[in-house]
Amino acid sequence: MRWSRLLIPTLKEDPAEAEAVSHRLMIRSGMVRQLAAGIYCYLPLGQRVLDKIHAIIRDEMNRIGGQEITLPALHPAEIWQQTGRWSEIGDEMFRLKDRAKRDLCLGMTHEEVIAWLAAKEIRSYRDLPQIWYQIQVKFRDEVRPKSGVLRTREFLMKDSYSLDADETGLALSYERHREAYHRIFTRCGLAFTVVESDPGMMGGAGSHEFMAPSPAGEDEIARCGACGAAANVELATSRPVAPPVPSWPALEEVPTPGARSIDEVATLLQIDPRLTLKTLMVMTKAGPLCCLLRGDQQLHEKKVERIAGPFRPAHRDEVQAVAGVEAGFLGPVGLTIPLLADGALAAGVYVAGANRVDTHLRGVVPGKHFTARYGDIHRVQTGDVCVNCGGALAVERVIEVGNIFKLGTRYSTPLKAVYLDEQGQERPIVMGSYGIGPARIAAAALEQHHDADGTIWPLTIAPFQVHLLTVNVKDAAMQRLGEELYRGLVSAGVEVLYDDRDERPGVKFKDADLIGIPYRVTVGSRAVREGQAEIRTRRTRDETPVPVAEVVPRIRALLERSDGA
Ligand code: ATP
Ligand code: MG
């Protein structure tokens, strides 16, 4: 295709609103434009990348027996009411009414519609298993749509659903998806890690997330450097490294005027923060609760919620009313409200608040000086110890590009998606649900493959394979050679973007680096003088002069040899 006829509105400057690299590059290379917060238009280059990703996804989904369908984006409220999600899901769901004042929503996912369809169409065990998938738009009123196409309010998702007779069948469908996902992300040129995840609002019996490491990610995973075990920090457990044992005598009060925070106390008493104990009061449905953590650890709210139910931090005056002291000097010794201590505190000796202003207690021994319920309530931190093998854990930022869930009968039971087994007994269909965000794949690829000049597309998902560039289209001989090569490449089946614009060479080279097509063929004065064009590899910046007549076969060989990444 000829650049002069395409809509590729590249920008010289970084857009002010874009922080993530992928966001900047997508805007600058003219792939996308934002219509409103979290709502994007895909321009031709962006569309071509999505098409490539979709083709890989379709190929791999078909390979595991997936059947492509298209479900509506507009859903009647009833199916969501039947599963309870109409009321469980809050503002994230776009809701609307039709002219007859009936409730509808814009689909944020399709478990309900699938279960409804299965209820209609699946009769017997002979109809199972099934894998149905679609690449279709989803709507979610995200709290913070940001980072370009990484988190938008309208986005395409490949969602597939497996229908099986029993758990054994589900395990097989799940495994097939896991393998298909491995191939999809590998073929898209992404570095990724598979981690166990928290099934959250989907419910169900197990789930994994596919995570692409990137500082632009909103998720964090903890990975063990020794055994390789990895989990979302939402779920990850660890053993904080044990502190040195202090040689403190028996329990004693120490004056700590004005020292409220862990840092202030540790500095004043000149001790390792790991020897402090922090006490955080929260309000649960059952009343106040104090969470106890080692001073250097952070509270993991979801973990606390799993143990103690929904809660919020206590206000200052609530702490004062319950404990008779301000929060900075709160401690477990002598408190009469329930205590929930992190497992790391089961051993050791600590400094804790004395429940008296400007005072701490030194030599607090959990189990001896206070009694608490123990649970895992800390966030895993880099340097913590792996509970499987004792190796060191590292916490890293990642982009969730896909996930797989074992749903079980969470949706089939309320929507009466049942089948008759071999004995003629009615049973609920056992379901799985599997999502991938193609736009997130594109953005994650940009995050992982770029340099200071722009994008470096993996060949498999690049908008074009070859960027042909005529340095000066006003030079008739040069122009003729460019046209000749363009025709040659096109008839050899190469996807080629031909920069035939009447622009300064500097502008053209800069744009070529910016949009990042894997191979560039340059037709300049050497081509006219000596019959030599140039093939440049975007990733390595290697440039090789190649006789004009050999460009097409050379490019074909490069494309055939390339493994995509
Ligand atoms: P997140 O935790 O990032 O909100 P999610 O768990 O809500 O993601 P799913 O509902 O499982 O995501 O959706 C499946 C896939 O769809 C995700 O792995 C991701 O690739 C993509 N996706 C989800 N939400 C968005 C969004 N707002 N914008 C773009 N892609 C999204
Ligand atoms: Mg979400």
Side-chain angles (χ1 to χ4, degrees):
M1 291 187 170
R2 292 167 185 278
W3 189 315
S4 60
R5 309 235 181 102
L6 287 174
L7 174 64
I8 310 178
T10 55
L11 303 178
K12 286 195 187 66
E13 305 294 334
D14 279 338
E17 76 277 13
E19 272 174 37
V21 171
S22 55
H23 189 191
R24 272 197 333 253
L25 286 175
M26 280 201 186
I27 304 262
R28 280 196 60 199
S29 59
M31 290 176 64
V32 299
R33 288 294 182 259
Q34 182 179 307
L35 171 63
I39 307 179
Y40 278 83
C41 310
Y42 283 82
L43 309 190
L45 278 193
Q47 185 60 44
R48 290 183 69 93
V49 171
L50 281 188
D51 287 345
K52 291 273 177 81
I53 295 170
H54 295 165
I56 291 173
I57 291 175
R58 286 196 167 94
D59 192 39
E60 295 297 343
M61 290 309 301
N62 295 342
R63 196 209 283 237
I64 61 166
Q67 305 160 73
E68 187 165 3
I69 57 176
T70 302
L71 302 171
L74 194 56
H75 301 181
E78 286 74 21
I79 52 173
W80 288 83
Q81 283 157 351
Q82 281 169 42
T83 62
R85 288 210 288 187
W86 183 262
S87 50
E88 271 167 45
I89 295 172
D91 292 339
E92 205 181 340
M93 184 187 274
F94 281 103
R95 298 163 206 254
L96 63 159
K97 287 191 190 289
D98 65 13
R99 61 176 77 208
K101 305 283 176 287
R102 279 183 292 252
D103 284 313
L104 299 162
C105 67
L106 298 180
M108 46 190 299
T109 175
H110 280 79
E111 285 77 15
E112 277 77 1
V113 181
I114 289 284
W116 173 89
L117 187 62
K120 288 253 169 302
E121 306 305 333
I122 302 294
R123 292 273 159 268
S124 113
Y125 68 94
R126 279 184 292 263
D127 302 331
L128 298 173
Q130 297 275 337
I131 294 176
W132 298 338
Y133 79 94
Q134 58 175 346
I135 297 177
Q136 195 251 20
V137 66
K138 302 280 183 272
F139 298 90
R140 294 183 185 177
D141 199 356
E142 299 277 0
V143 185
R144 275 179 296 277
K146 59 175 210 176
S147 307
V149 303
L150 281 170
R151 182 172 297 284
T152 55
R153 298 195 294 166
E154 176 184 325
F155 59 97
L156 286 175
M157 192 197 286
K158 183 292 295 174
D159 43 329
S160 46
Y161 304 87
S162 59
L163 309 176
D164 280 283
D166 52 26
E167 291 294 331
T168 316
L170 171 60
L172 201 66
S173 297
Y174 191 81
E175 198 44 41
R176 291 219 169 105
H177 273 89
R178 196 213 293 256
E179 286 165 12
Y181 275 37
H182 264 275
R183 287 192 295 268
I184 289 167
F185 297 122
T186 306
R187 285 178 64 182
C188 289
L190 285 190
F192 64 95
T193 307
V194 189
V195 301
E196 268 179 61
S197 70
D198 177 2
M201 78 158 190
M202 303 295 264
S207 62
H208 287 87
E209 291 166 319
F210 288 73
M211 303 296 212
S214 157
E218 289 183 55
D219 278 288
E220 283 181 333
I221 60 169
R223 192 210 310 261
C224 175
C227 72
N232 194 314
V233 287
E234 303 270 280
L235 210 69
T237 56
S238 72
R239 259 197 336 265
V241 177
V245 182
S247 54
W248 294 329
L251 188 68
E252 59 176 349
E253 282 194 351
V254 283
T256 50
R260 292 175 173 80
S261 70
I262 293 298
D263 275 354
E264 286 163 352
V265 173
T267 308
L268 183 77
L269 301 180
Q270 299 201 326
I271 55 169
D272 187 322
R274 290 179 295 178
L275 293 172
T276 64
L277 182 157
K278 67 181 164 199
T279 309
L280 305 167
M281 192 182 289
V282 301
M283 305 305 277
T284 69
K285 282 208 177 113
L289 168 77
C290 273
C291 298
L292 310 178
L293 281 169
R294 225 171 64 184
D296 64 312
Q297 298 282 315
Q298 302 302 320
L299 188 76
H300 193 309
E301 291 174 1
K302 283 226 173 128
K303 287 183 178 175
V304 174
E305 200 176 304
R306 279 181 214 126
I307 297 174
F311 71 92
R312 62 163 174 82
H315 304 137
R316 273 161 191 254
D317 49 339
E318 286 170 333
V319 175
Q320 191 73 47
V322 173
V325 70
E326 62 173 289
F329 301 99
L330 189 62
V333 182
L335 271 190
T336 51
I337 63 166
L339 305 177
L340 173 59
D342 183 61
L345 292 174
V349 190
Y350 302 91
V351 167
N355 297 322
R356 203 139 67 79
V357 76
D358 291 341
T359 316
H360 277 75
L361 284 176
R362 183 161 56 196
V364 175
V365 179
K368 183 171 168 196
H369 299 123
F370 66 85
T371 315
R373 172 179 179 193
Y374 287 86
D376 175 3
I377 56 169
H378 68 270
R379 265 184 88 80
V380 175
Q381 305 184 140
T382 294
D384 283 359
V385 173
C386 171
V387 292
N388 298 333
C389 78
L393 294 173
V395 173
E396 59 181 317
R397 287 215 154 257
V398 292
I399 297 169
E400 180 202 310
V401 284
N403 56 34
I404 54 180
F405 291 97
K406 285 186 180 169
L407 297 174
T409 55
R410 161 79 177 82
Y411 300 91
S412 44
T413 300
L415 285 160
K416 303 192 176 51
V418 294
Y419 70 97
L420 295 178
D421 70 10
E422 285 178 65
Q423 282 74 46
Q425 274 255 317
E426 196 172 88
R427 296 190 183 280
I429 295 172
V430 181
M431 287 174 56
S433 152
Y434 316 87
I436 285 184
R440 278 208 192 159
I441 293 184
L446 283 185
E447 293 288 339
Q448 292 183 351
H449 305 283
H450 67 271
D451 62 17
D453 296 324
T455 307
I456 306 172
W457 282 112
L459 181 61
T460 47
I461 62 171
F464 292 92
Q465 297 168 316
V466 169
H467 190 132
L468 173 65
L469 188 155
T470 302
V471 173
N472 178 7
V473 292
K474 290 215 178 95
D475 178 320
M478 208 183 284
Q479 160 78 348
R480 214 170 31 249
L481 281 176
E483 291 289 329
E484 212 172 90
L485 273 179
Y486 178 56
R487 280 194 302 274
L489 287 164
V490 169
S491 49
V494 176
E495 296 165 21
V496 48
L497 172 65
Y498 178 27
D499 189 349
D500 59 342
R501 292 173 302 166
D502 182 12
E503 278 283 1
R504 283 183 292 114
V507 170
K508 291 179 141 189
F509 289 131
K510 271 216 159 65
D511 274 348
D513 279 347
L514 178 62
I515 68 177
I517 293 167
Y519 299 107
R520 191 184 82 198
V521 175
T522 312
V523 179
S525 48
R526 260 183 91 183
V528 177
R529 278 200 326 270
E530 302 162 27
Q532 298 272 343
E534 210 161 60
I535 297 181
R536 182 176 192 265
T537 305
R538 174 68 183 87
R539 182 178 297 278
T540 58
R541 296 162 180 262
D542 284 343
E543 289 186 0
T544 324
V546 175
V548 173
E550 277 172 37
V551 166
V552 175
R554 192 72 74 88
I555 286 287
R556 288 183 65 162
L558 279 171
L559 296 180
E560 268 157 33
R561 201 175 59 204
S562 177
D563 59 1

